[in-house]
Amino acid sequence: MQSKNAIVALSGGMDSATVLAEAINQKRTVLLAVSFRYGSKHNQYENNAAKQICQHYAIRHQLMDLSNVFRIAAEESKSARFRDGDEIPEGHYEAASMEKTVVPARNIIFASILTSIAWSLEAYEVWMGMHSGDHAIYPDCRPEFVTNMRQAMFNGTAGRVMLKVPFLGGDKESILHQGFSLSVPYQLTRTCYKDQPVACGKCGACQERLAAFAAHNAKDPIPYESQEILPKPMES
């Protein structure tokens, strides 16, 4: 019987926090939660959130500094997520401007590193938080990517490591619904993409999160500069 040891990719946001809670709920022994510093505007805030979430669950936390790995991407791609990139766009993910938030091959790199860590720790599973709300914008969040990456991880480790993406077919609302049932400490999480201590409430990440809470008639427990849900762009 395969081990139920697992590691979890933990950004510090509501999705990954719910993934961690779900792994625990499914009786996995989470040996490690891994966060990444890669030069984004919000890294310091989300990394701190991840640390607090791990303290809440009494899970070992490892922060990996990949700033040098992403240096060329930061200099050449001009992704708005990077510190020296364009301004973080405001509005919903449906807006064309959200393409500016793509970080080239981010999840490919993360998944590869997590595979090595899992193999080394004799953890059979790597849990990640990609979901349907990300599919349109981020190529390495789509089902076809997950299918192929899962096979590559399994084959490349001679069957030792399996990729688990429990919310791949769900959206932010369904993730939040499951999180409520698991009492996820959303007050500890960080979602905003901007470089500021208080969430802006206007970037795509904030808008998606606020809309999910509103759909549940629930108040988001973190502070925001603005909690107004902006109108979605008109379909052409």
Side-chain angles (χ1 to χ4, degrees), residues 67-118:
S67 300
N68 284 334
V69 173
F70 284 91
R71 188 173 302 279
I72 292 176
E75 292 173 352
E76 301 295 336
S77 74
K78 302 303 180 185
S79 169
R81 297 273 280 277
F82 290 120
R83 282 191 293 267
D84 295 329
D86 296 334
E87 290 294 317
I88 295 290
E90 296 180 350
H92 291 272
Y93 274 126
E94 290 87 348
S97 61
M98 293 302 160
E99 292 285 346
K100 293 181 179 180
T101 65
V102 173
V103 175
R106 190 186 72 149
N107 283 338
I108 297 173
I109 295 170
F110 287 0
S112 298
I113 292 170
L114 291 165
T115 302
S116 176
I117 294 171

Side-chain angles (χ1 to χ4, degrees), residues 4-15:
K4 289 190 176 180
N5 290 346
I7 67 171
V8 175
L10 185 67
S11 69
M14 63 171 284
D15 303 331

Side-chain angles (χ1 to χ4, degrees), residues 24-37:
I24 295 169
N25 180 55
Q26 292 192 25
K27 310 303 182 186
R28 271 37 177 193
T29 299
V30 180
L31 301 180
L32 186 68
V34 182
S35 304
F36 298 98
R37 179 185 296 126

Side-chain angles (χ1 to χ4, degrees), residues 105-152:
R106 190 186 72 149
N107 283 338
I108 297 173
I109 295 170
F110 287 0
S112 298
I113 292 170
L114 291 165
T115 302
S116 176
I117 294 171
W119 185 349
S120 301
L121 294 179
E122 298 185 354
Y124 180 61
E125 295 174 345
V126 169
W127 288 57
M128 299 183 74
M130 294 82 102
H131 63 86
S132 65
D134 293 333
H135 295 174
I137 304 173
Y138 307 119
D140 53 0
C141 288
R142 295 172 186 162
E144 55 268 35
F145 163 75
V146 171
T147 297
N148 289 312
M149 193 73 205
R150 179 182 288 124
Q151 194 64 53

